[in-house]
Amino acid sequence: MSDSTPSFTAAGVTISGLRKSYGSNEVLKDISLSVNPGEVVCLIGPSGSGKSTLLRCVNLLEQPNGGTIDVGGYDVTDPDLDIDEMRRHVGMVFQQFNLFPHLTVLENCTVAQLKVLKRSKDEAQRVAQQNLTKVGLGEFADRYPDQLSGGQQQRVAIARALSMDPQLMLFDEPTSALDPETVGEVLAIMRNLAKDGMTMLVVTHEMAFARDVADRVVFMDGGVVVEEGPAAQVIGDPQTPRMQDFLKRVLDPTHVDLG
């Protein structure tokens, strides 16, 4: 990279005219939105609306077909981008936990530090232990993933991401694969990250979390942004009929008119 390599000291995201297609299926249609440093933005909407695809484009797990994405000063759509360098500053937590089953919890949280950040084993373990304690699993370092509940595994995944010292965190429906009783464990960790000022872009179906934690909510449907604004406004007083219908279906599913 050149001497003008951008800094992630104030990580933000600016998306302009983003398009993504799979063959003839256009999943993202001219999407423009931003996430300011220290801001929490939640993407909500029905399944298939393009939320997860948008998130994956931000980290270049999906290649956009058009538009631009700026992440902390890095032009993600630049063909000369040092992807690995950019990703060092971006943590991502998926629906599935993606932990290495043959490694202990502590080892899961140190392997990338050792290989990517080139930290010493002692420093990597110190950082990992610190983040495991942050997510309430400090005493579980020597256990293996199959000895943990789903909620605990997802908390390990968050600790693993945090151990890379990210300036931006991406969450792709992190509670969708969890038992309802363990959802709160993960959401509590995310609330604490928001309080600490972490910049976060979150795809979620948890309306209460979006309302209480997000600075802004972006409602997507059919590959476009239908409505966005402060969380209290979008969820508490939606302006578009589509958003009103979506909330009715999510918040009161037993009274949906199937006709």
Side-chain angles (χ1 to χ4, degrees):
M1 303 222 15
S2 68
D3 292 338
S4 60
T5 298
S7 170
F8 258 74
T9 54
V13 181
T14 302
I15 300 170
S16 180
L18 179 62
R19 294 182 179 276
K20 175 63 183 177
S21 298
Y22 299 100
S24 61
N25 181 24
E26 190 173 22
V27 179
L28 298 176
K29 307 171 184 177
D30 195 24
I31 298 288
S32 295
L33 62 88
S34 64
V35 183
N36 298 318
E39 189 175 35
V40 178
V41 174
C42 282
L43 302 176
I44 64 173
S47 297
S49 60
K51 307 182 302 297
S52 292
T53 301
L54 186 154
L55 203 71
R56 293 173 65 86
C57 283
V58 170
N59 209 15
L60 220 59
L61 295 175
E62 295 284 355
Q63 184 69 47
N65 297 118
T68 60
I69 305 173
D70 182 287
V71 179
Y74 288 80
D75 180 358
V76 174
T77 52
D78 182 351
D80 295 324
L81 172 73
D82 185 336
I83 298 175
D84 292 335
E85 173 63 24
M86 183 274 289
R87 286 178 177 162
R88 285 180 60 176
H89 306 280
V90 181
M92 187 160 183
V93 177
F94 301 86
Q95 298 178 32
Q96 301 299 326
F97 322 125
N98 297 328
L99 300 178
F100 295 110
H102 63 290
L103 299 181
T104 66
V105 164
L106 186 66
E107 290 168 339
N108 266 282
C109 294
T110 59
V111 61
Q113 294 186 67
L114 297 171
K115 294 185 176 181
V116 178
L117 300 184
K118 307 301 182 183
R119 286 176 173 161
S120 68
K121 183 176 180 179
D122 286 346
E123 182 183 9
Q125 289 182 343
R126 178 187 62 79
V127 172
Q129 190 65 51
Q130 183 180 49
N131 284 300
L132 286 170
T133 299
K134 180 180 290 187
V135 302
L137 295 174
E139 298 179 358
F140 290 70
D142 294 330
R143 297 195 186 185
Y144 288 87
D146 64 0
Q147 297 175 309
L148 305 178
S149 69
Q152 289 170 335
Q153 290 187 59
Q154 191 64 293
R155 286 152 64 190
V156 171
I158 294 174
R160 177 181 58 185
L162 293 176
S163 293
M164 299 297 287
D165 297 332
Q167 299 299 313
L168 168 68
M169 285 289 290
L170 308 175
F171 291 89
D172 186 8
E173 298 189 29
T175 62
S176 64
L178 301 181
D179 182 284
E181 292 185 343
T182 64
V183 167
E185 301 175 3
V186 173
L187 294 181
I189 302 302
M190 295 170 66
R191 287 174 187 268
N192 288 336
L193 289 177
K195 290 179 182 177
D196 290 341
M198 176 65 75
T199 307
M200 297 163 60
L201 183 56
V202 183
V203 173
T204 184
H205 289 296
E206 302 290 341
M207 292 300 104
F209 174 84
R211 181 192 63 222
D212 297 341
V213 178
D215 296 293
R216 283 187 294 124
V217 168
V218 177
F219 173 63
M220 294 179 61
D221 189 30
V224 301
V225 172
V226 176
E227 187 169 345
E228 76 170 291
Q233 172 188 309
V234 174
I235 296 178
D237 186 24
Q239 302 300 301
T240 60
R242 183 64 187 95
M243 181 62 187
Q244 293 167 3
D245 180 65
F246 172 76
L247 279 180
K248 180 179 179 181
R249 290 173 178 269
V250 170
L251 300 178
D252 192 14
T254 62
H255 290 81
V256 172
D257 182 2
L258 297 179

